Amino acid sequence: MKVLVTGAAGFIGMLVSQRLLARGDAVVGLDNLNDYYDPQLKRDRLARLAHERFSFVKLDVENRTGMDELFARERFDRVVHLAAQAGVRYSLVNPHAYVDSNVTGFLNVLEGCRHHGVAHLVYASSSSVYGGNTRMPFSEHDGVDHPVSLYAATKKANELMAHTYSHLYGVPTTGLRFFTVYGPWGRPDMALFLFTKAILEDRPIDVFNHGKMVRDFTFIDDIAEGVVRTLDRVASPDPAYDPNQGDPARSNVPFRLFNIGNHEPVQLMDFIGAIEAALGREAKKNYLPLQSGDVPATSADVEELAAWTGFRPGTSVDEGVRRFIAWYREYFRV
């Protein structure tokens, strides 16, 4: 197949692209290489994608003309849409960046799929859509109408927009709600990266909500495997869907939503302990209140993903953190 991967220079995009290339697909990778974090890390990820079946396009997804021309020229079979303005906390500082990239950009992707016969669109949603939900584990069948950050609201908007295009134009769409992705080549604004850097530099780490947080940390290899498996099973209408009952994750059109998480939530202090063990150093801790837009706990019910793809993430935090630390020491030579 010829697959468009947006956000190909990103953390998840790089590994998904590698897996598609390894099995024989042609990949067009799109990224704008913005400076939300060090673009050199993005360029180094791209360097790992050098392949005769890989081509790179530097483009903003919110560039309507550029996206129209790209879809018309390349005639993609399938699309993996991962490009987005990431980060819950940054959405409190620069909200316009989230609407431009995550809403307008997603509309351009949907329009490209609609007008150029794309057989399946798989796109990144987020566990943040669960917002104020407190029932654990989070289920795709629960309502998600109370986001607590603009980032979460844009991801919920993506799911609604996808359903609209599945309904109006028959575009098969599958949304994946990622749960706290971590691992080698990860984002420098994420906790694992920040904690590791601070500990090695003998600086204190910021521990929010006084450490009373739980996260469904999900290793990057598991995420990439879930994305590719989902891409291979095209979304289809649910014959059992009852419009009188309603179900946020199902429909009578080719639309699906799945959680993709490790389904074994970990206490933040245990996660920090795994980092300390891998580094052989104890962290200095600066305990702080819960930040605006954040939630105290996440936990993924992945039974729907397992039933649809036959796959459940399963890499332990101890193993995943060890692999990250090994990469970090090699990449930064520390």
Side-chain angles (χ1 to χ4, degrees):
M1 297 186 294
K2 179 187 279 190
V3 183
L4 170 64
V5 178
T6 72
F11 175 33
I12 301 172
M14 179 195 76
L15 193 55
V16 168
S17 297
Q18 284 181 321
R19 293 199 172 208
L20 294 173
L21 290 168
R23 72 178 196 175
D25 293 330
V27 176
V28 176
L30 178 151
D31 207 290
N32 65 0
L33 301 177
N34 67 30
D35 61 358
Y36 172 63
Y37 59 83
D38 186 3
Q40 185 57 49
L41 180 58
K42 300 178 183 183
R43 290 191 289 268
D44 289 342
R45 293 188 190 123
L46 277 179
R48 295 172 61 81
L49 297 177
H51 196 286
E52 62 183 4
R53 281 183 275 104
F54 179 81
S55 58
F56 175 66
V57 177
K58 186 179 179 183
L59 184 67
D60 284 307
V61 287
E62 60 262 39
N63 182 331
R64 179 177 173 181
T65 300
M67 292 294 285
D68 284 347
E69 292 173 350
L70 177 66
F71 273 88
R73 180 175 70 248
E74 296 289 351
R75 298 287 175 175
F76 302 110
D77 296 303
R78 298 186 185 182
V79 173
V80 179
H81 178 54
L82 303 170
Q85 179 56 61
V88 169
R89 292 164 187 164
Y90 187 60
S91 69
L92 307 179
V93 179
N94 189 2
H96 291 91
Y98 288 77
V99 174
D100 291 344
S101 182
N102 300 7
V103 179
T104 302
F106 190 57
L107 177 61
N108 291 335
V109 170
L110 287 168
E111 279 287 279
C113 293
R114 168 197 173 190
H115 289 293
H116 299 286
V118 170
H120 193 196
L121 166 64
V122 173
Y123 62 94
S125 186
S126 167
S127 63
S128 67
V129 301
Y130 289 103
N133 288 24
T134 56
R135 184 166 66 176
M136 300 285 174
F138 293 152
S139 168
E140 302 95 332
H141 305 293
D142 294 337
V144 288
D145 296 323
H146 298 90
V148 297
S149 70
L150 183 65
Y151 171 71
T154 64
K155 289 299 185 178
K156 170 62 174 173
N158 287 172
E159 296 176 359
L160 295 172
M161 293 163 71
H163 185 274
T164 302
Y165 271 67
S166 296
H167 171 75
L168 290 174
Y169 311 114
V171 178
T173 66
T174 300
L176 294 175
R177 293 173 173 169
F178 297 147
F179 280 69
T180 315
V181 188
Y182 75 101
W185 296 96
R187 285 186 5 228
D189 62 321
M190 296 293 285
L192 177 55
F193 211 112
L194 292 170
F195 290 170
T196 299
K197 187 173 190 295
I199 294 169
L200 287 172
E201 294 174 357
D202 200 31
R203 292 185 291 105
I205 63 174
D206 289 336
V207 182
F208 292 101
N209 205 34
H210 305 283
K212 297 174 183 176
M213 297 182 75
V214 177
R215 286 289 180 271
D216 210 330
F217 295 100
T218 312
F219 192 63
I220 181 60
D221 289 40
D222 290 334
I223 291 286
E225 180 70 15
V227 170
V228 173
R229 289 204 188 200
T230 306
L231 184 69
D232 287 343
R233 183 162 184 192
V234 178
S236 59
D238 181 0
Y241 178 73
D242 181 356
N244 293 316
Q245 298 295 322
D247 186 334
R250 300 287 183 84
S251 184
N252 53 5
V253 301
F255 166 88
R256 297 280 172 156
L257 280 174
F258 299 107
N259 291 333
I260 178 164
N262 205 46
H263 58 96
E264 289 191 5
V266 173
Q267 295 283 342
L268 176 59
M269 298 310 297
D270 291 338
F271 186 66
I272 293 170
I275 301 170
E276 292 172 324
L279 289 173
R281 301 189 188 188
E282 187 173 349
K284 299 175 181 176
K285 302 172 184 72
N286 181 28
Y287 292 98
L288 296 168
L290 186 69
Q291 282 202 315
S292 295
D294 223 339
V295 297
T298 65
S299 174
D301 181 335
V302 298
E303 291 310 304
E304 292 289 345
L305 177 75
W308 188 253
T309 66
F311 173 71
R312 285 183 177 86
T315 304
S316 72
V317 159
D318 287 341
E319 171 65 17
V321 166
R322 281 196 299 270
R323 289 171 64 178
F324 170 83
I325 298 297
W327 167 81
Y328 187 97
R329 286 190 177 279
E330 180 182 2
Y331 182 78
F332 290 104
R333 297 184 174 88
V334 292

